[in-house]
Amino acid sequence: MDGLVRAVHVLQQLLERQHRVESSIATARSGLNRWSGSAVHDTVAGSLRYIHMYGHMLETSAASIGGAAWRAFEIPQLRLLMVASMYQLQQTGASRERIHRAINDSCTALGHDSLKSDVIVAVERASRSDARRSLSRASAYSLPSWLYLKLRESVGSQQLAGFAPSLLRRPDRLHLCVTPRLAAPDEYAAQLRFSTKCPATPIHFVPHGVTLLSRPRNITNLPGVKDRLAFVQDAAQQWCISQLSPVQPGQTMLDVCAAPGGKLRAAISRLPIGARIIAVEKSPRKVAALQREFSGMAGVEIVCGDASTPSAWWETRWGARHGSIRTIVLDAPCSATGILRTRPEVKSLQTPEGVAYLCGLQREMLRALWPKLQVEGELLYITCSLLHEENEAIIKLSLIHISEP
């Protein structure tokens, strides 16, 4: 199966059936060599980044041509094929001849052999240099209109204009947290520079962070990763954990929505003997993954539970033994609008209704967990969202609720 067809199938699984990104791409790469597999991965991710921009350009192009070109655009598989083809044509440097051949082969494989020339004509017209002139500001940033408006309201037009173009680019760096057992950050940066031949520097605002100015596909080859002495963790998340007061012997820290375990690893690295971390995750699948990762570590317990109803698991199983909690870390379920470069599918899968639901869930979790916190304890609320309604507004509403008699 041609790589372009594989990419279209992955996009269809993600957008229409909401399959998981990692498993869909892994299936599509099956049987391909490393280069071909990476090309499929890149085409899927790139198409997701540009889908709102290219979708608008293709719609305008197909409508102006009419006839079979418009019929092709209305077929979901062919519309995704057009988007993926435009991405390859405009962003990868692939030749027109090669892309035309791939479109021909893909149309045949998808059962639309009679529309192959119409797809090519629509893609070519949409790719002309003047095709972007009719784009709205939201489409120019390849954002759905609702998300563009929310981001503009949350961060302001000037700041949005500053970072929105970067959302169309593949992440170009990797943040790692290195445990003191392995090396100091400057020493680990030197190891990375030697092993990857790429620039690497300590992150000045976190104690154990290192930035690698590269984005390797296989991170397990990096020093210390296989031995779990270094791990990928965003610098902002490292900074959050570093702001907490250290948990003392006899005290308990609650890590809520703990998967995939980055915060837990960072907290363990500074956990003294006699202190405890209880990691809570609702999904049994994620709980099993945490148990595999952290089984046997002193002072760490993993529990399957719903953070919005802690009475179902805290009082009955943990409360009598551990009492109140010194520190709560809540990495709340959110819209993920702050990580669109690494999670470009969010732009297509998230909805205003989904954001509203998440805001309600965030409020429930904060209100349920607050009473478990001891006097003068610390609660760290984290999201991967840029939206005001998931951050400042949630905290403000929660503080009002907490202050009520």
Side-chain angles (χ1 to χ4, degrees), residues 181 228 264-265 268 293-301:
R181 286 176 54 201
R228 302 175 183 176
L264 185 54
R265 291 187 193 94
I268 289 172
E293 182 75 15
F294 298 100
S295 62
M297 288 193 177
V300 179
E301 300 178 75

mmCIF file of all heavy atoms in Angstrom, residues 181 228 264-265 268 293-301:
data_model
loop_
_atom_site.group_PDB
_atom_site.id
_atom_site.type_symbol
_atom_site.label_atom_id
_atom_site.label_comp_id
_atom_site.label_asym_id
_atom_site.label_seq_id
_atom_site.Cartn_x
_atom_site.Cartn_y
_atom_site.Cartn_z
ATOM 1 N N ARG A 181 20.879 10.852 39.897
ATOM 2 C CA ARG A 181 21.654 9.598 39.898
ATOM 3 C C ARG A 181 22.445 9.433 38.613
ATOM 4 O O ARG A 181 23.500 8.779 38.607
ATOM 5 C CB ARG A 181 20.715 8.399 40.052
ATOM 6 C CG ARG A 181 20.138 8.215 41.447
ATOM 7 C CD ARG A 181 19.137 7.059 41.442
ATOM 8 N NE ARG A 181 19.733 5.841 40.896
ATOM 9 C CZ ARG A 181 19.025 4.829 40.413
ATOM 10 N NH1 ARG A 181 17.698 4.892 40.411
ATOM 11 N NH2 ARG A 181 19.634 3.753 39.957
ATOM 12 N N ARG A 228 15.620 4.471 32.644
ATOM 13 C CA ARG A 228 14.662 5.316 33.367
ATOM 14 C C ARG A 228 15.361 6.325 34.281
ATOM 15 O O ARG A 228 14.832 6.721 35.319
ATOM 16 C CB ARG A 228 13.677 4.472 34.178
ATOM 17 C CG ARG A 228 12.878 3.494 33.333
ATOM 18 C CD ARG A 228 12.005 2.613 34.165
ATOM 19 N NE ARG A 228 11.284 1.630 33.350
ATOM 20 C CZ ARG A 228 10.498 0.682 33.824
ATOM 21 N NH1 ARG A 228 10.324 0.571 35.135
ATOM 22 N NH2 ARG A 228 9.895 -0.160 33.026
ATOM 23 N N LEU A 264 5.187 12.249 38.277
ATOM 24 C CA LEU A 264 5.521 11.283 39.323
ATOM 25 C C LEU A 264 7.019 11.016 39.342
ATOM 26 O O LEU A 264 7.642 10.969 40.416
ATOM 27 C CB LEU A 264 4.737 9.991 39.092
ATOM 28 C CG LEU A 264 4.848 8.891 40.141
ATOM 29 C CD1 LEU A 264 4.500 9.416 41.520
ATOM 30 C CD2 LEU A 264 3.933 7.719 39.766
ATOM 31 N N ARG A 265 7.632 10.856 38.176
ATOM 32 C CA ARG A 265 9.086 10.640 38.123
ATOM 33 C C ARG A 265 9.833 11.836 38.717
ATOM 34 O O ARG A 265 10.792 11.677 39.469
ATOM 35 C CB ARG A 265 9.526 10.432 36.672
ATOM 36 C CG ARG A 265 9.055 9.136 36.043
ATOM 37 C CD ARG A 265 9.683 8.942 34.675
ATOM 38 N NE ARG A 265 9.027 7.884 33.923
ATOM 39 C CZ ARG A 265 8.048 8.072 33.063
ATOM 40 N NH1 ARG A 265 7.588 9.294 32.843
ATOM 41 N NH2 ARG A 265 7.500 7.070 32.417
ATOM 42 N N ILE A 268 9.398 11.803 42.501
ATOM 43 C CA ILE A 268 10.144 10.718 43.140
ATOM 44 C C ILE A 268 11.614 11.099 43.308
ATOM 45 O O ILE A 268 12.254 10.755 44.311
ATOM 46 C CB ILE A 268 10.013 9.419 42.314
ATOM 47 C CG1 ILE A 268 8.590 8.858 42.442
ATOM 48 C CG2 ILE A 268 11.034 8.378 42.753
ATOM 49 C CD1 ILE A 268 8.308 7.697 41.509
ATOM 50 N N GLU A 293 5.514 0.636 35.370
ATOM 51 C CA GLU A 293 6.619 1.596 35.371
ATOM 52 C C GLU A 293 7.200 1.811 36.766
ATOM 53 O O GLU A 293 8.413 1.949 36.931
ATOM 54 C CB GLU A 293 6.122 2.928 34.800
ATOM 55 C CG GLU A 293 7.170 4.011 34.694
ATOM 56 C CD GLU A 293 8.140 3.786 33.541
ATOM 57 O OE1 GLU A 293 7.845 2.948 32.659
ATOM 58 O OE2 GLU A 293 9.189 4.448 33.550
ATOM 59 N N PHE A 294 6.326 1.825 37.792
ATOM 60 C CA PHE A 294 6.770 2.251 39.112
ATOM 61 C C PHE A 294 6.667 1.164 40.182
ATOM 62 O O PHE A 294 6.838 1.462 41.362
ATOM 63 C CB PHE A 294 5.966 3.482 39.560
ATOM 64 C CG PHE A 294 6.141 4.676 38.664
ATOM 65 C CD1 PHE A 294 5.186 5.001 37.714
ATOM 66 C CD2 PHE A 294 7.280 5.451 38.758
ATOM 67 C CE1 PHE A 294 5.346 6.102 36.886
ATOM 68 C CE2 PHE A 294 7.455 6.552 37.938
ATOM 69 C CZ PHE A 294 6.491 6.874 36.996
ATOM 70 N N SER A 295 6.382 -0.055 39.775
ATOM 71 C CA SER A 295 6.257 -1.129 40.758
ATOM 72 C C SER A 295 7.579 -1.322 41.498
ATOM 73 O O SER A 295 8.664 -1.279 40.912
ATOM 74 C CB SER A 295 5.860 -2.439 40.068
ATOM 75 O OG SER A 295 6.850 -2.840 39.144
ATOM 76 N N GLY A 296 7.478 -1.510 42.804
ATOM 77 C CA GLY A 296 8.660 -1.755 43.614
ATOM 78 C C GLY A 296 9.363 -0.509 44.093
ATOM 79 O O GLY A 296 10.327 -0.616 44.867
ATOM 80 N N MET A 297 8.926 0.658 43.681
ATOM 81 C CA MET A 297 9.576 1.892 44.145
ATOM 82 C C MET A 297 9.088 2.241 45.542
ATOM 83 O O MET A 297 7.883 2.309 45.795
ATOM 84 C CB MET A 297 9.289 3.047 43.185
ATOM 85 C CG MET A 297 10.011 2.937 41.863
ATOM 86 S SD MET A 297 9.937 4.479 40.928
ATOM 87 C CE MET A 297 10.936 4.034 39.505
ATOM 88 N N ALA A 298 10.006 2.475 46.446
ATOM 89 C CA ALA A 298 9.663 2.754 47.839
ATOM 90 C C ALA A 298 8.881 4.053 47.948
ATOM 91 O O ALA A 298 9.224 5.059 47.323
ATOM 92 C CB ALA A 298 10.931 2.839 48.679
ATOM 93 N N GLY A 299 7.813 4.009 48.725
ATOM 94 C CA GLY A 299 7.040 5.206 48.996
ATOM 95 C C GLY A 299 6.027 5.568 47.944
ATOM 96 O O GLY A 299 5.373 6.610 48.050
ATOM 97 N N VAL A 300 5.864 4.727 46.914
ATOM 98 C CA VAL A 300 4.942 5.030 45.820
ATOM 99 C C VAL A 300 3.818 4.001 45.787
ATOM 100 O O VAL A 300 4.073 2.787 45.796
ATOM 101 C CB VAL A 300 5.665 5.030 44.454
ATOM 102 C CG1 VAL A 300 4.675 5.317 43.317
ATOM 103 C CG2 VAL A 300 6.781 6.059 44.449
ATOM 104 N N GLU A 301 2.583 4.484 45.766
ATOM 105 C CA GLU A 301 1.413 3.616 45.650
ATOM 106 C C GLU A 301 0.560 4.103 44.492
ATOM 107 O O GLU A 301 0.393 5.314 44.288
ATOM 108 C CB GLU A 301 0.598 3.625 46.948
ATOM 109 C CG GLU A 301 1.379 3.140 48.160
ATOM 110 C CD GLU A 301 0.568 3.214 49.438
ATOM 111 O OE1 GLU A 301 -0.317 2.383 49.634
ATOM 112 O OE2 GLU A 301 0.833 4.130 50.244
#
